Amino acid sequence: MNSRERVLLALNHEQTDILPFSLGFGLSEPVLKALAAEMKLPDARDAKALVESKSDLRWVAPRYIGPKDRNVRSADGRETDIWGVERRSVSYGEGCYDEICRHPLRDFSDAEALKGYRFPSPDWFDYSALPEIIRKAQAGGPRAIVVGNANLFETAWYMRGLENMMMDLIAEPDFAAELMRRVTDYYCEFVGRCLEAAKGQIDLIFTADDIGQQTGLLLSLPLWAGSIKPYHQRVNRIVHQYGAKVIYHTDGAVMQAVPGLIDMGIDVLEALQFDAIGMDPAALKALYGDRLCFHGGISVQSTLPFGSPEEVRREVLERAEVLGNNGGYILAPSHAVQAGTPVENVLAMFDAAGRTLREPERMM
């Protein structure tokens, strides 16, 4: 069974030879460097290639051909994305995060003012290159292909600022709705063009919006259902029209929201932060496993950074037994594997997943 077959069977709620495996958000640069040293590889790039060779998923994207002042990093290290949001590298010691330093719509006051802002165009990408990009991504063997990242509410608040956007939902609903509409219009067109150009070769469209935090939801379910859910439904309908699946990312304690997420049209719930209050893998599988698949669940918050290798193995096997019963599960870390995570725990995760890193010559 090849990687793509394995993923597609799992997404059809069928048992596979071994569980599909994904890197999720990947390994941070300090972890890759430590892994390279442990494996006696030349550098972090070789470690990245090795771990990526074990994943059953491959991410691709169309080539950017848009304005040179967007999707660019300046000489001072600041990065401007296609939405005009600026980020700068902030050190956390061993590595850096790109943190937002400018929200371009922060001072906008009404929906009419949005007409004067330069929103990105789907024309800023070359979709015709996708078949060749996918072909190269499949060079090591057939993998399930993923395109993203349709994060609608997050994109809106990246431009507006989270505090402003949260207040807009209550105090300026027309402004919030117009901003969400413009963001969604873009992603609907972008996703549709990707799927059209790929001609059936894209298996998953990655969507996202963090709607949970450690102890509960970031906003009430009624407010979410009225202000965010309908926009995702638009994107999800397009994905399903092309026969692809929707994988949806949210961190946090979101058990309350799962029925609404299913109704919204997602096929795979991603992240599975079981360290958050009320997040229970057995309950999630029992209540929703017949209608929903899962991706993630290996804790980057507790087990991987602070557990023993044996505890990591035990968690992997427990997730496999519970969430992987009768298919429907892609084993993965719950987010990016952070700096400070012991290399032996990373190796234990791969070993327990049946994707050992200790014998590079077996790379797929």
Side-chain angles (χ1 to χ4, degrees), residues 40-259:
K40 295 181 172 52
L41 298 170
D43 56 35
R45 289 173 297 179
D46 297 276
K48 185 177 181 181
L50 174 60
V51 297
E52 287 181 349
S53 75
K54 306 300 182 179
S55 176
D56 291 320
L57 302 184
R58 279 287 183 273
W59 287 69
V60 302
R63 185 168 60 91
Y64 180 75
I65 55 173
K68 297 185 184 303
D69 64 336
R70 296 284 179 94
N71 198 38
V72 65
R73 187 177 289 272
S74 64
D76 64 0
R78 293 199 177 201
E79 182 180 88
T80 304
D81 68 15
I82 63 171
W83 300 93
V85 177
E86 291 184 17
R87 294 172 172 83
R88 63 184 177 88
S89 292
V90 177
S91 173
Y92 57 80
E94 295 182 70
C96 295
Y97 282 127
D98 285 341
E99 302 284 0
I100 295 175
C101 59
R102 178 177 174 269
H103 304 280
L105 300 184
R106 183 190 64 182
D107 297 325
F108 280 53
S109 58
D110 57 53
E112 189 67 21
L114 292 175
K115 293 180 180 178
Y117 186 72
R118 185 178 58 157
F119 285 86
S121 167
D123 294 337
W124 292 1
F125 292 89
D126 177 12
Y127 306 91
S128 67
L130 269 174
E132 177 62 15
I133 291 169
I134 292 171
R135 187 191 68 77
K136 290 180 179 178
Q138 302 281 31
R143 310 294 172 99
I145 296 297
V146 188
V147 167
N149 177 19
N151 50 340
L152 313 181
F153 178 61
E154 288 179 344
T155 298
W157 77 250
Y158 292 168
M159 288 190 286
R160 183 80 173 114
L162 180 58
E163 184 176 350
N164 284 341
M165 190 65 190
M166 295 291 273
M167 291 191 293
D168 291 340
L169 294 176
I170 301 297
E172 301 290 344
D174 291 342
F175 178 89
E178 178 62 13
L179 180 52
M180 287 292 292
R181 181 192 68 78
R182 287 175 176 269
V183 170
T184 306
D185 285 350
Y186 166 83
Y187 278 119
C188 283
E189 186 70 18
F190 175 83
V191 165
R193 290 198 196 184
C194 286
L195 291 164
E196 182 70 29
K199 302 187 184 307
Q201 296 183 80
I202 294 171
D203 303 298
L204 289 159
I205 296 293
F206 193 96
T207 67
D209 271 336
D210 281 333
I211 58 172
Q213 38 93 358
Q214 197 71 30
T215 60
L217 298 176
L218 289 172
L219 66 173
S220 72
L221 279 177
L223 184 58
W224 170 80
S227 303
I228 298 175
K229 177 183 177 182
Y231 300 98
H232 275 278
Q233 287 176 311
R234 285 182 54 197
V235 175
N236 296 346
R237 281 194 291 269
I238 292 171
V239 175
H240 291 149
Q241 285 170 6
Y242 283 89
K245 302 279 190 181
V246 176
I247 181 169
Y248 173 87
H249 165 86
T250 177
D251 294 319
V254 296
M255 285 291 285
Q256 286 179 281
V258 174

Side-chain angles (χ1 to χ4, degrees), residues 3-31:
S3 288
R4 186 166 188 251
E5 291 170 341
R6 188 176 296 124
V7 171
L8 296 183
L9 272 178
L11 296 181
N12 198 38
H13 297 273
E14 296 183 45
Q15 207 74 46
T16 55
D17 52 350
I18 57 174
L19 275 182
F21 177 74
S22 164
L23 289 174
F25 285 79
L27 277 58
S28 68
E29 187 73 10
V31 175

Side-chain angles (χ1 to χ4, degrees), residues 329-350:
Y329 180 45
I330 300 172
L331 179 70
S334 59
H335 211 285
V337 178
Q338 297 295 322
T341 300
V343 169
E344 56 266 30
N345 285 1
V346 174
L347 294 172
M349 176 182 69
F350 278 90

Side-chain angles (χ1 to χ4, degrees), residues 13 258 261-262 266-269 284-285 288-294 328:
H13 297 273
V258 174
L261 293 172
I262 294 172
I266 74 169
D267 301 292
V268 187
L269 180 62
L284 201 59
K285 183 74 171 183
Y288 310 115
D290 59 335
R291 292 167 286 163
L292 192 60
C293 297
F294 307 103

